[in-house]
Every structure is written in C-alpha cells, then in structure tokens.
Amino acid sequence: MKIAYLMDPLVKIQPENETTSHLMYECNERGHTVFFLEPHDVYIRKDQVVARMRNITVKPGLGMTKYWQAIIRCTRQDNLIFEAITDLDALFLRSNPPLNYQTMEFLQTVNNHVFILNNTTGQILGNSKLYILNFPEIIPETHVSRDPTRLRKIIDDFGGAMVVKPLQRFGGEGVIKVSTRDRMNLNSLIHYYVRAYESYARREPIMVQEYIKSVKQEGDIRIMLLNGEILGAMRRKPKKGDFRTNVHAGGEVFAHRVTAREMRICEVIKDKLIADGLYFVGIDIIDGKLVEVNCVSPGGIPRINQLNNDRLEHKVIDFIEHRIDTVTHFSHRNEA
C-alpha cells in the first residue's frame, strides 16, 4: 500500500516520543511504501490535487534511531515525486497545530477518494476547543466571549477559580488559571487575551472554563480513541507549581486503567467523532468531565506503550489496512 504522512520537518521531531514516528515505522516494517510531505507541498494541477512527496521507504529491521536517520537522508535527496493524492491508499495528516486551513481546502475535494486520518472537514470542526460544546452534559461549565466586561462578570458570578484558554493554541500554551482574589491582574489578563485595544469585531474570543481542583493532585486522563473505541490511556500530572498536565508543559505520565465513568464519556462522543471523520483522536478528561478533544496530530502512543509494555501503533495500522482492504474489495465487487 502507498501511505503518506503530511507532517512537520523530520529533523524537528524526537522520534522516540512521537506518535507519528511510531506509525511511520510500523508502516515501513510491514513493507508499505511510505511517503513524506509538508503542508506547503500540496497544490492543484488542472483538476487534480497533487503533492510534492519524497519516498522515505527504507529497509526494515532498523531500530528507531537508525530508521529516523535513514529517512532524513531520503528527504535530502533531490528526487521529488509528484504524486496525485488519489493515487495514495491512505494519508495521515500529522502536522502539529495550528491547522493549515489552505492545505485543508486543497485536500477537501479528495476526502471521498483516499482514506485521510483525520478527515479534513472533521479537523476543521474539531480543531477548535469549541468542539466539546457538542457534548454539554459531560463538560465543565464553559463560556466563550470577546467582551472583557462579560468575561469578568462570568468569573465574578462563578465565585471561584476558572481557566482561561485561547481557542487555537495547543500543548497547554496560553492556558492560565484566574481568580477574583487577584482583581487587578485579572482585569489586565482578560484585556490582554481578548486584545481589548482592538475594535470589538477584531478582538479574540477566549474560553473561560470551570477550574476542577482535583487536577492539581490527580492530573488528567488522556485517552486515545481509534474509530470510536478506546485504544489506550494514561494519567498526566502537572509539575510542581503548575496546573497544566500537558507533557510539553512538564507534566509527568502514569499508567491508568479506564474507569466506567470515562468509558461512558467515550460512548457519548463516539458516534459524533466517527460521523465527522475523526477516527484517531486523543481526549482529555478531568474528574469525569471532558475538557478537550485533540484531533490535529494527537499524541500519546509512545508513552502509553512504555507504561503498559504495548505496541498501540500495530492496532492503528491494522485498522488502516482493514479499512483500505474493505473499500478495495467493495469497489472490485461493484466493478464486476
């Protein structure tokens, strides 16, 4: 099979801890032809969506470090391949946020002709932190506004600590805890985040969400979902002096067994995720409440593997192969 990865430059990635590298490695080990491209490599030629790709298939049996060195050497060669996207069997969209909307627009027309993880429409919908509002019964109290006065009243009325989240950042960037006990700084922070110096139409809406106290001691739960089913999970705890659990922000990871309450959350969101083409996602849960859905290059596989002595990438590529085989068999049967 031909499987391509649209992602960030390989030299920027630490392969031992990246989900993308483990997925690529597994494809290579199974003998698939693996291609590499970046968001700017996609373009239109006449009526086709085409991409400048590099074939980064190398001999199997290398360890991760040598494998990564080998594929980096492949990207430094001049032999670009100009391949129609529809000639691929599968395309993984694994470029880190923020989402490249122009690339999504280019790929939009081929969603039904090549298996894309995750579907471009689904990524556009799910990219924002607002996606959790589809599930109001299982999320913390949440508000979104660009009006400093309204935001201040929300926090005052709530009467406790709340979390401010910019809508488009990732890895815990820009996420802060605020409280009415620090009124002078609270006003300043709200004005800064919404860009209150701009006209109302040009301001930045922000999310204000209930702060769940247990996060400080218990952390949050990252659950990886594949086609709506639980793939694996881990607990993440913040470093001392912080409340953010993101590994990029210094959080530590621990083994976790998914609870019945967490399973229910997965069941609630399952059908919506699949309907939107979000087959491979990571969700974050704090004290039984869904706080985020991560669909743009979700991570967690290597660390869950280390905690549980598992190889979750096997199941992801199994799913891809089965999906493609099913579609191919169906197409051949119709042609016959």
Side-chain angles (χ1 to χ4, degrees):
M1 293 179 180
K2 293 181 177 181
I3 302 178
Y5 287 81
L6 187 153
M7 55 188 289
D8 301 311
L10 302 183
V11 293
K12 293 185 176 181
I13 289 174
Q14 297 178 329
E16 294 80 9
N17 295 320
E18 290 286 344
T19 293
T20 307
S21 55
H22 284 67
L23 296 172
M24 296 168 72
Y25 183 84
E26 182 63 21
C27 287
N28 190 83
E29 290 298 290
R30 296 191 186 198
H32 297 307
T33 303
V34 182
F35 295 96
F36 164 79
L37 67 153
E38 296 180 60
H40 59 259
D41 287 322
V42 182
Y43 66 101
I44 308 297
R45 184 176 64 200
K46 291 187 178 178
D47 58 348
Q48 283 191 317
V49 183
V50 182
R52 304 169 352 130
M53 305 186 199
R54 285 180 169 84
N55 187 332
I56 57 170
T57 311
V58 297
K59 67 179 182 180
L62 301 174
M64 179 61 80
T65 300
K66 289 186 176 179
Y67 166 72
W68 208 251
Q69 292 169 349
I71 67 174
I72 286 175
R73 287 195 294 272
C74 291
T75 66
R76 290 171 177 165
Q77 298 172 2
D78 292 330
N79 52 335
L80 280 168
I81 297 168
F82 296 84
E83 185 99 24
I85 296 293
T86 51
D87 289 339
L88 298 169
D89 293 296
L91 173 62
F92 279 89
L93 302 183
R94 297 289 304 174
S95 184
N96 280 336
L99 200 66
N100 187 314
Y101 285 96
Q102 185 179 77
T103 303
M104 295 299 104
E105 289 173 352
F106 286 170
L107 294 173
Q108 180 72 21
T109 58
V110 297
N111 266 325
N112 296 326
H113 303 284
V114 60
F115 188 44
I116 300 179
L117 265 78
N118 285 307
N119 182 289
T120 59
T121 302
Q123 287 211 33
I124 290 170
L125 293 172
N127 170 57
S128 171
K129 289 180 171 59
L130 299 177
Y131 190 74
I132 64 169
L133 297 177
N134 287 291
F135 318 106
E137 69 276 22
I138 56 172
I139 66 174
E141 182 175 329
T142 301
H143 306 265
V144 179
S145 178
R146 54 165 50 91
D147 184 340
T149 303
R150 181 173 294 135
L151 289 165
R152 177 57 189 270
K153 187 175 188 308
I154 287 167
I155 297 168
D156 285 342
D157 289 347
F158 185 76
M162 299 193 81
V163 176
V164 171
K165 296 181 178 182
L167 297 183
Q168 298 295 338
R169 301 187 198 177
F170 72 103
E173 181 187 353
V175 177
I176 60 171
K177 185 175 78 168
V178 297
S179 170
T180 54
R181 287 180 293 181
D182 189 4
R183 293 183 176 275
M184 290 181 64
N185 282 330
L186 177 58
N187 287 336
S188 179
L189 285 167
I190 291 174
H191 278 74
Y192 169 77
Y193 270 78
V194 302
R195 300 191 305 184
Y197 55 85
E198 297 276 12
S199 66
Y200 190 81
R202 293 175 59 84
R203 290 178 187 172
E204 191 76 28
I206 60 171
M207 176 179 286
V208 178
Q209 196 170 66
E210 171 190 355
Y211 173 68
I212 304 173
K213 294 179 181 179
S214 63
V215 71
K216 193 170 183 179
Q217 297 297 325
E218 300 299 323
D220 73 355
I221 307 301
R222 162 61 60 92
I223 299 178
M224 304 297 297
L225 296 175
L226 178 64
N227 200 33
E229 302 295 335
I230 296 173
L231 179 66
M234 62 182 173
R235 182 182 295 275
R236 305 179 302 183
K237 293 185 179 181
K239 67 180 181 180
K240 189 175 181 179
D242 204 338
F243 72 96
R244 297 172 301 167
T245 59
N246 311 76
V247 174
H248 290 293
E252 291 186 78
V253 298
F254 302 86
H256 177 70
R257 184 183 296 274
V258 178
T259 67
R261 191 177 180 189
E262 291 156 2
M263 288 180 186
R264 178 185 170 273
I265 289 174
C266 296
E267 283 297 316
V268 169
I269 68 177
K270 174 180 177 178
D271 290 344
K272 174 67 174 170
L273 293 178
I274 294 174
D276 288 340
L278 299 179
Y279 303 104
F280 184 48
V281 303
I283 66 170
D284 299 335
I285 297 172
I286 301 177
D287 195 22
K289 293 185 179 181
L290 176 70
V291 295
E292 198 157 324
V293 174
N294 302 273
C295 67
V296 180
S297 193
I301 280 182
R303 291 181 173 86
I304 297 173
N305 283 348
Q306 292 164 10
L307 293 167
N308 300 330
N309 192 27
D310 210 338
R311 295 290 297 275
L312 298 182
E313 62 273 20
H314 288 188
K315 297 177 183 178
V316 178
I317 305 307
D318 284 346
F319 168 67
I320 297 296
E321 291 175 342
H322 177 73
R323 175 80 179 221
I324 294 168
D325 284 344
T326 301
V327 171
T328 302
H329 176 74
F330 181 76
S331 299
H332 289 167
R333 189 175 67 181
N334 281 351
E335 290 171 4

